[in-house]
Amino acid sequence: MTKNVIELSIFLILGITQLIAQKENSTQLPDISSFHQDLFVPEITEGKPEAGKRVKQTLGSYQNTYVYHLVYLPTNYKKR
């Protein structure tokens, strides 16, 4: 019984300590809504992959199913 009380006390102390630490750290974090968005996810298109495009593709064995993958080539991609 004493062991259970000690374990519960330690658990509560650690939990409270973590809550206090989180509260202190949260006041230091910046508000991300105040930043200008500079990264954008391209729309999904179909067709051949090209630089700057996000293309939906399906393997032949998965035709007529809902299984697909996406290919994105960076805007500075050059075919070799």
Side-chain angles (χ1 to χ4, degrees):
M1 169 103 176
T2 306
K3 182 179 177 184
N4 290 343
V5 171
I6 293 172
E7 289 175 354
L8 180 60
S9 299
I10 292 172
F11 178 76
L12 290 174
I13 291 169
L14 291 175
I16 291 171
T17 304
Q18 178 151 358
L19 285 174
I20 292 169
Q22 286 177 351
K23 185 174 182 182
E24 289 174 1
N25 288 338
S26 67
T27 58
Q28 298 171 1
L29 297 175
D31 178 14
I32 63 169
S33 65
S34 65
F35 288 90
H36 174 70
Q37 182 178 357
D38 59 348
L39 298 175
F40 299 92
V41 178
E43 294 294 320
I44 297 174
T45 60
E46 296 194 21
K48 296 180 89 174
E50 296 178 22
K53 281 190 163 185
R54 190 168 158 220
V55 182
K56 177 180 176 179
Q57 293 186 332
T58 303
L59 296 173
S61 58
Y62 289 97
Q63 293 295 339
N64 302 318
T65 70
Y66 295 106
V67 177
Y68 64 89
H69 63 273
L70 298 174
V71 175
Y72 174 76
L73 298 175
T75 53
N76 63 351
Y77 174 79
K78 292 188 179 14
K79 190 174 180 179
R80 292 183 186 190

